[in-house]
Amino acid sequence: MDAEDFEGIKAGLREAVDDIKARQAAYVKQVRAKTHLTQEAFAKRYHLSVRTLQNWEGGKPVDMPAQVLLKLIDRDPIAVDRLLNG
């Protein structure tokens, strides 16, 4: 493998990582949009930091527990709200 091949592989990997980040950010935005809440209201309702939510929507990685929470909110936001807030 020469330097050109290596650079091509690196570029492909970067592109794949960027695509994953963009898809995850879009999913977070989609889940929040489904609730019709601002970032501030969504964060408060689901016990998140506004900054964390902004990071996720900006493409920062979402850890596995947060991914589970987002999937639950996506499926039934009212039930998650009831569970978290009584």
Side-chain angles (χ1 to χ4, degrees), residues 1-16:
M1 177 184 317
D2 63 15
E4 187 177 327
D5 292 337
F6 182 72
E7 289 304 315
I9 291 169
K10 269 180 32 179
L13 288 173
R14 272 193 222 106
E15 188 177 313

Side-chain angles (χ1 to χ4, degrees), residues 25-35 57 74:
Y27 179 69
V28 175
K29 290 176 189 177
Q30 172 192 330
V31 171
R32 185 174 62 81
K34 187 175 179 179
T35 66
E57 289 188 3
D74 190 21

Side-chain angles (χ1 to χ4, degrees), residues 28-50 53 56-57 69-70 73-74 77 84:
V28 175
K29 290 176 189 177
Q30 172 192 330
V31 171
R32 185 174 62 81
K34 187 175 179 179
T35 66
H36 305 287
L37 296 171
T38 64
Q39 287 180 333
E40 293 77 15
F42 186 92
K44 184 175 181 179
R45 179 170 293 172
Y46 298 110
H47 301 269
L48 301 166
S49 137
V50 174
L53 182 59
W56 294 344
E57 289 188 3
L69 176 62
L70 289 167
I73 294 168
D74 190 21
L84 292 174

